[in-house]
Amino acid sequence: MEYGDEIVRRVRELAPVLAERARAAEEARRLPDETIADLADAGLFGMLVPERFGGAGLGLEPMVAACREIGTGCASTGWLSVIYTLHNWILALFPEEAQREVWKDRPYGLIPCTLAPTGTAEPADGGHRVTGRWSWGSGVMHADHVMVMALVTVDGGIEPRLFLLPRADVNVHDVWHTSGMRGTGSNDIEVPDVFVPAHRSVPLADLTEGRSPGAEVNSGSLYRIPLVPVFALTGAAPVLGVAEGVLARFADRMRTRVMAYSGAKQRDLMSGQIRLARATAELAAARLLLDEAIRDLSTAYESGEGYGIRERAKARLVAAHVAGTARAVVNELCSAAGASAQFSESPFQRAQRDVNTISSHVVFDPDATYALYGRIEMGIDPDPMTLV
């Protein structure tokens, strides 16, 4: 068994444990420390870290498979599995000195990243002074570093730039009081005018075009892939996993559920059978679509061909469509599971709240994403600030 398959097997076996911890994670509004330790021991966080730093140097396919399996147990854990694993890949795109600083003691970091450019950075001798406050800091409660996007004035123009800071240099504001995805602990991150040396920042354009400093020092096509297709497609994996977990629970519930008043078994009702079959087909199609998109992305860069703007927009299209399919299936099955599925101890209602929350992420916005692909397909250039 290859190492990537072994990691997938480990997290698949861990998923029932994560499901048992889901309510505690929700109530604490952060993942249990035991969960972080378990995922680290499984080898998850270092999957995309270059081998020369002690990581596994694996591709996107096993990473997506692992994060989908984790999502079947707990949506918040699935989302942070992507956050922590993917952001180590982003770190591999920074200058080598930054990589060495983070990975000097272990082959992974725990790094939230906020891409909305809601801060500013002023050039200073040897780097920048960064100031701002960022929302949606998923994973900040266990972080050792953070990444934030700030706007820099360069030659009269504005340049979005990603900055890496130690956790000790930032303030965290407890604002994460939400109906769904509570376990992600996605609190606000504030940087109060902190100096960031030049080796701990990289222009967003270098990341989105696949020409980052890390691509020059880390061998392998993985480190030449543009940011947005990777972020969108890997992010869709745990959302799909949540729906697959709900489908499995619905099938188990349906086998024994007796309908109120009529006394009929739900397993014998055509309505339940139809919902089960339709959800099975829709999720199978979504999984094939996601797997194909990940495979095509990896193959394009392994062959040296790369992606143009149309292919990058299609990756976002696939991610939004998969997330939308998962959301529709979860809502349909939770409705068919009956009113008792809405009790606070039920995994159905938690999954429903979680998937409705995470599928509202900007990268999964169906209207914006479908319009983006249609615009590019018609030969119209996207807006310069569009994530594509």
Side-chain angles (χ1 to χ4, degrees):
M1 180 181 291
E2 295 185 358
Y3 186 50
D5 296 331
E6 173 63 18
I7 294 176
V8 174
R9 183 194 64 79
R10 292 172 185 172
V11 297
R12 183 185 298 119
E13 293 178 352
L14 185 61
V17 178
L18 302 177
E20 292 175 358
R21 295 173 181 166
R23 187 174 184 181
E26 181 171 69
E27 292 174 350
R29 293 183 297 117
R30 57 180 287 166
L31 296 189
D33 293 343
E34 296 85 355
T35 293
I36 298 296
D38 286 342
L39 296 177
D41 290 344
L44 180 77
F45 302 142
M47 290 184 83
L48 306 183
V49 174
E51 291 182 82
R52 65 197 186 95
F53 287 108
L58 299 171
L60 296 174
E61 291 94 332
M63 179 260 193
V64 164
C67 294
R68 192 185 68 247
E69 294 286 354
I70 295 168
T72 65
C74 173
S76 290
T77 309
W79 185 248
L80 289 192
S81 71
V82 170
I83 293 296
Y84 289 143
T85 307
L86 181 63
H87 294 173
N88 278 282
W89 171 77
I90 295 179
L91 177 60
L93 308 182
F94 273 70
E96 185 171 18
E97 187 176 352
Q99 300 174 45
R100 292 193 180 280
E101 288 176 350
V102 176
W103 293 328
K104 64 179 183 298
D105 296 324
R106 63 184 185 188
Y108 67 88
L110 299 175
I111 311 171
C113 175
T114 60
L115 291 176
T118 56
T120 58
E122 297 294 332
D125 186 23
H128 297 82
R129 297 204 68 86
V130 179
T131 304
R133 179 165 170 167
W134 292 260
S135 298
W136 318 108
S138 296
V140 72
M141 303 308 292
H142 290 93
D144 48 53
H145 289 77
V146 304
M147 294 178 185
V148 295
M149 188 73 69
L151 299 177
V152 184
T153 301
V154 178
D155 298 329
I158 299 297
E159 176 189 77
R161 198 172 185 95
L162 190 63
F163 292 88
L164 171 73
L165 299 93
R167 167 63 179 84
D169 287 353
V170 310
N171 299 320
V172 176
H173 295 273
D174 185 1
V175 300
W176 193 243
H177 300 274
T178 58
S179 62
M181 301 300 290
R182 293 179 189 170
T184 62
S186 302
N187 289 299
D188 284 9
I189 299 170
E190 182 184 15
V191 179
D193 187 24
V194 174
F195 174 74
V196 180
H199 68 272
R200 291 196 207 142
S201 74
V202 61
L204 176 61
D206 286 358
L207 300 174
T208 57
E209 297 298 329
R211 58 169 187 259
S212 68
E216 299 178 5
V217 296
N218 292 317
S219 60
S221 59
L222 176 65
Y223 308 106
R224 298 195 302 272
I225 304 178
L227 171 65
V228 177
V230 177
F231 173 60
L233 292 172
T234 58
V239 186
L240 177 59
V242 174
E244 291 175 329
V246 169
L247 175 60
R249 294 185 187 98
F250 179 80
D252 287 342
R253 179 181 176 87
M254 185 176 158
R255 291 184 180 97
T256 58
R257 183 183 174 207
V258 176
M259 310 301 289
Y261 303 107
S262 70
K265 294 182 178 179
Q266 191 176 24
R267 66 185 294 274
D268 297 327
L269 299 179
M270 183 180 294
S271 58
Q273 296 162 359
I274 289 172
R275 284 175 171 80
L276 178 67
R278 184 167 58 216
T280 300
E282 289 174 350
L283 294 184
R287 180 171 175 175
L288 288 172
L289 188 63
L290 180 61
D291 287 347
E292 179 185 57
I294 287 289
R295 184 173 58 252
D296 288 351
L297 177 63
S298 299
T299 300
Y301 283 86
E302 288 169 359
S303 67
E305 294 179 3
Y307 266 12
I309 190 72
R310 180 178 179 273
E311 290 80 14
R312 285 152 56 182
K314 186 177 179 181
R316 276 204 58 184
L317 174 68
V318 168
H321 188 75
V322 168
T325 299
R327 180 178 188 170
V329 167
V330 168
N331 283 319
E332 176 72 10
L333 294 182
C334 287
S335 175
S340 61
Q342 296 302 317
F343 280 104
S344 60
E345 70 272 11
S346 169
F348 286 93
Q349 54 81 30
R350 184 178 305 108
Q352 188 173 28
R353 288 185 286 105
D354 286 344
V355 81
N356 284 332
T357 298
I358 197 58
S359 60
S360 298
H361 192 290
V362 63
V363 78
F364 302 136
D365 183 331
D367 289 344
T369 305
Y370 292 166
L372 169 65
Y373 181 80
R375 182 183 181 92
I376 291 173
E377 186 70 10
M378 291 297 101
I380 305 171
D381 291 335
D383 182 275
M385 290 302 292
T386 300
L387 283 174
V388 66

